[in-house]
Amino acid sequence: MDTHVAYRRIYDQPARSDGVRVLVDRVWPRGVRKENAHLDEWLREVAPSTELRQWYGHDPERFAEFRRRYLEELGQSPHRQAAQHLCSLSRTQDLTLLTATRDVEHSQAAVLAEWLDQHSHHGRGRSS
């Protein structure tokens, strides 16, 4: 089955092509009501640790190191189980990873989409 993984901001309008919509932030996004989020899941456990998130501070100059450390975290509990769950979902249906981060290209959603591409044999994850 040809499925795709996309990532984007939770504040963007949902699209029909989103497939399963999963929030990958540890903290609920400001100003979003749960009933208006159009989420299928909120997978907090796949988000970067609080320590890593605070160290990174969404500084693009730290992104390469953030990506390295985050990928390392994905191999450890409880991140590993959550990442495997996303992997299973992405093999059978389209998946959109959602984050509140302004700079979505330098977010955990972007890293996760790339990781899922490598682990699920998808085409290129993309931002929509």
Side-chain angles (χ1 to χ4, degrees), residues 7-15 18 21 32 36-38 96-102 104 127-128:
Y7 54 93
R8 56 156 112 170
R9 297 191 74 211
I10 192 165
Y11 303 105
D12 295 342
Q13 203 56 27
D18 282 351
R21 292 170 50 89
V32 176
N36 296 336
H38 304 286
T96 298
L97 308 175
L98 300 166
T99 180
T101 307
R102 276 197 194 95
V104 76
S127 173
S128 25

Side-chain angles (χ1 to χ4, degrees), residues 58-70:
H58 299 288
D59 177 351
E61 290 185 9
R62 290 185 169 185
F63 182 68
E65 179 62 14
F66 165 77
R67 183 182 168 282
R68 188 193 70 72
R69 292 185 191 185
Y70 181 42

Side-chain angles (χ1 to χ4, degrees), residues 107-124:
S107 71
Q108 74 267 17
V111 176
L112 267 174
E114 179 189 16
W115 183 86
L116 285 166
D117 271 353
Q118 292 168 357
H119 287 79
S120 303
H121 308 292
H122 286 287
R124 191 88 188 115

Side-chain angles (χ1 to χ4, degrees), residues 16-32:
R16 212 174 264 161
S17 61
D18 282 351
V20 178
R21 292 170 50 89
V22 181
L23 178 63
V24 294
D25 288 354
R26 188 168 297 277
V27 178
W28 186 261
R30 281 195 194 120
V32 176

